Amino acid sequence: MRYDKPGYGDPSTWAPLFGHPNDPRNDCEEEEIRLARLTAAFTQRITNDIVKDDRTAILVADNLIRYTTDIDIVDIIRDAVRGRKEAVFNAVRDLLEESVRCMAETQAIKQMELEK
């Protein structure tokens, strides 16, 4: 064996850092923090725009309808039949918030891709 030259796995043989997601030298923490901040900002914007803008409300409704599962609807129906108004309200609110967060994260990811 030769120990005077670097082998295939030695860091000195690696190419320059380009930000590939599978590169072990990546520091993903900064990207995750940026994604979380952008998601929070877009969540606030979408939440505010639902009241003012019909287009945003329709996009949120479309996303909500597309990703709501049958069991979510069954639970809402059962709570409504049982007269548990608070449970129905909480379930609908949770679904709405999840839909908005999903849309906000999608917009944040698109924004980060544009910045690269």
Side-chain angles (χ1 to χ4, degrees):
M1 283 191 182
R2 296 187 60 172
Y3 294 105
D4 60 338
K5 293 188 178 184
Y8 292 111
D10 292 330
S12 61
T13 64
W14 293 352
L17 180 63
F18 287 111
H20 189 276
N22 295 330
D23 191 334
R25 299 171 291 169
N26 276 350
D27 184 20
C28 296
E29 187 175 326
E30 291 178 14
E31 287 184 14
E32 290 174 6
I33 291 170
R34 175 85 170 131
L35 179 63
R37 288 181 180 162
L38 281 173
T39 301
F42 282 123
T43 299
Q44 188 64 42
R45 181 187 299 172
I46 292 169
T47 303
N48 291 340
D49 287 349
I50 287 173
V51 177
K52 300 181 282 185
D53 184 22
D54 288 341
R55 182 178 175 276
T56 303
I58 290 169
L59 288 173
V60 172
D62 181 54
N63 194 46
L64 178 70
I65 291 167
R66 182 174 295 141
Y67 296 108
T68 301
T69 63
D70 293 343
I71 195 67
D72 293 330
I73 301 300
V74 168
D75 289 342
I76 290 171
I77 291 170
R78 286 182 179 160
D79 288 336
V81 169
R82 292 178 183 146
R84 297 170 52 193
K85 294 177 185 177
E86 189 69 25
V88 172
F89 173 77
N90 289 335
V92 171
R93 185 192 63 215
D94 291 345
L95 288 171
L96 177 64
E97 288 173 355
E98 184 178 340
S99 178
V100 169
R101 272 193 311 271
C102 178
M103 289 178 60
E105 186 171 345
T106 301
Q107 288 181 1
I109 290 170
K110 286 180 183 177
Q111 176 69 31
M112 288 179 67
E113 288 174 355
L114 289 174
E115 293 172 357
K116 287 185 179 181

